[in-house]
Amino acid sequence: MAEVEDRKIVDLFNEVWSAEKEISNSCDTLSDKIQGLIADTLATLSVLSQSIEQLSMFSHNEEVDEISTQDIRYLMLNALAGHLISKKKCQVQQRLEILTKSREFYVEFLKICRDYGIGPLGEIHQVLKPASDEEALLKHFPQKAKDLSSMTRAREAKIEKYKQSKLMEQQLSELQHNLGNDEQCRKYWLLVLNKWVNHVIEEMGNMDMEISMLKRMQNIPKSQIEEDRRNLRESIKPMQPFILTKDKLQAAVYGAGYPSLPTVTLDEYYEREAAAGRMPDQASKPASDKKEDEDSDDDFSDEKLKKKREFDDWKDTHRRGAGNRKNMG
């Protein structure tokens, strides 16, 4: 830890930034390697945040234009911390605590962005407005048919956000190649901040829904949960077999499958037909049939052998091509 504290702030941030990219691009965030990287990155991030706080780098009384280009990137530390905490592996009982802690970091990040005028301020105010658990669930699961219009508007808003995200990615890719220029570097980090604001707003919506569901689960006794599961298993009836028809003629014959439901399984049908000797299975043939087959095979072999020997004797007394008088072979 002492070695980490002795390093420069910019080096610590670059380490956290590269680690966050590796974690986000990983296909298995629950692996021991990624979980170890998350723990190390959170430790480095904690030291970095303490250093910036000690330096009093930011103030609520200043505008974003007053922040130096090299310091803008440090505004997203709370967002990085909340994102990494939400990736931590845990038991179901610990999930609520982790989500709550991650959400606290997200809220601090949005407050900072609101104070500096970064990102969509209207959406930030809406997200920061306190809401009950019931409101969080109703926001994602509308209960009335008239809410279909609001669902349509939400879908269109998501599509628009997706397009903006793609455009933002393209702009970041273009700006990334010219970070040596102070103006381009400033645009780059402000665009990164806007991207993280959109990401945090979306994540907080999902978090609020999950938190409200976890709180409800805590209030339900375990005995009731087990009873509900047992009742659900008992209420599920086994699926009855039915007949699929290929055309209208079959539908007329079989009654579209409903009056002509089979009464036995495929295995039972096979065993019944095999016992009756109607299945093309050699194992179910009677012993007499097998004996006749063997005798016929033996007769066929003897007759074939006899013809072959006669042909060999004929070749001994007839020279090859002796009868071929037209071609004079």
Side-chain angles (χ1 to χ4, degrees):
M1 183 63 69
E3 295 178 359
V4 174
E5 294 177 353
D6 293 339
R7 295 166 59 187
K8 294 182 179 179
I9 292 178
V10 64
D11 294 334
L12 294 176
F13 179 83
N14 291 336
E15 179 181 336
V16 171
W17 188 244
S18 60
E20 190 278 330
K21 287 185 177 180
E22 181 179 353
I23 294 168
S24 297
N25 294 330
S26 175
C27 297
D28 185 12
T29 56
L30 299 179
S31 63
D32 294 338
K33 176 184 176 182
I34 297 299
Q35 288 298 312
L37 181 60
I38 290 175
D40 295 340
T41 306
L42 284 173
T44 305
L45 195 57
S46 176
V47 175
L48 179 58
S49 300
Q50 291 176 6
S51 301
I52 291 176
E53 186 177 354
Q54 291 175 0
L55 294 173
S56 300
M57 190 174 293
F58 304 110
S59 173
H60 294 287
N61 299 324
E62 62 182 357
E63 301 292 335
V64 67
D65 295 335
E66 301 177 34
I67 304 175
S68 65
T69 301
Q70 299 301 322
D71 294 342
I72 290 178
R73 67 192 72 182
Y74 302 128
L75 290 173
M76 68 178 69
L77 295 185
N78 285 317
L80 294 174
H83 179 65
L84 293 176
I85 291 174
S86 66
K87 298 288 185 181
K88 291 178 68 175
K89 184 179 179 181
C90 65
Q91 300 293 331
V92 179
Q93 297 81 2
Q94 302 170 332
R95 181 63 178 169
L96 179 60
E97 180 182 354
I98 286 180
L99 287 177
T100 303
K101 188 175 181 181
S102 175
R103 193 182 188 283
E104 291 175 357
F105 280 101
Y106 278 164
V107 167
E108 289 300 320
F109 169 71
L110 291 181
K111 286 181 178 179
I112 292 174
C113 292
R114 178 196 60 188
D115 295 341
Y116 282 106
I118 300 173
L121 299 181
E123 292 186 29
I124 293 176
H125 283 292
Q126 186 69 23
V127 172
L128 293 179
K129 185 173 67 174
S132 63
D133 297 338
E134 293 292 338
E135 292 175 347
L137 282 175
L138 291 175
K139 182 179 180 181
H140 294 272
F141 299 103
Q143 301 294 323
K144 299 180 181 179
K146 66 180 181 181
D147 290 331
L148 290 175
S149 58
S150 62
M151 292 173 64
T152 304
R153 290 194 299 270
R155 179 178 177 273
E156 293 175 352
K158 285 186 177 181
I159 294 174
E160 185 63 27
K161 275 192 174 183
Y162 177 78
K163 293 179 180 179
Q164 293 178 1
S165 175
K166 287 297 181 183
L167 179 61
M168 199 176 296
E169 290 287 348
Q170 183 180 355
Q171 294 174 348
L172 287 173
S173 179
E174 295 173 357
L175 293 171
Q176 195 172 8
H177 300 292
N178 195 19
L179 294 180
N181 183 285
D182 186 77
E183 182 180 357
Q184 298 294 322
C185 184
R186 190 177 189 86
K187 287 183 179 179
Y188 174 81
W189 287 112
L190 285 175
L191 200 58
V192 170
L193 275 171
N194 278 274
K195 177 185 174 182
W196 271 95
V197 168
N198 293 332
H199 174 74
V200 167
I201 290 174
E202 183 178 357
E203 283 295 307
M204 284 186 64
N206 297 330
M207 278 185 178
D208 290 342
M209 180 175 59
E210 187 175 354
I211 287 173
S212 61
M213 294 177 67
L214 289 172
K215 286 181 178 179
R216 281 193 168 192
M217 289 179 61
Q218 284 185 343
N219 297 329
I220 300 176
K222 291 184 178 180
S223 58
Q224 183 178 348
I225 295 176
E226 293 297 330
E227 183 179 356
D228 292 341
R229 289 177 179 174
R230 185 170 58 254
N231 294 336
L232 180 61
R233 287 194 297 266
E234 293 176 354
S235 62
I236 297 176
K237 297 181 180 180
M239 198 172 190
Q240 294 293 329
F242 57 91
I243 298 174
L244 295 177
T245 57
K246 294 182 180 180
D247 48 36
K248 293 183 179 179
L249 182 60
Q250 285 189 351
V253 174
Y254 292 107
Y258 299 108
S260 306
L261 293 176
T263 57
V264 294
T265 64
L266 289 175
D267 293 336
E268 293 174 348
Y269 174 77
Y270 180 84
E271 292 175 359
R272 188 174 64 183
E273 294 297 308
R278 290 191 290 265
M279 299 301 293
D281 190 353
Q282 297 296 330
S284 62
K285 286 187 176 182
S288 59
D289 294 345
K290 292 184 178 180
K291 187 175 181 180
E292 291 177 0
D293 292 341
E294 293 175 358
D295 293 342
S296 61
D297 292 341
D298 293 341
D299 295 342
F300 177 76
S301 300
D302 293 341
E303 184 179 353
K304 188 176 181 180
L305 182 60
K306 182 181 178 181
K307 288 184 178 180
K308 189 174 181 180
R309 286 178 179 174
E310 291 176 352
F311 183 65
D312 290 339
D313 294 341
W314 184 85
K315 287 194 295 182
D316 292 340
T317 57
H318 294 76
R319 187 172 63 88
R320 183 174 182 179
N324 188 7
R325 305 311 298 169
K326 290 185 178 181
N327 294 330
M328 300 301 289

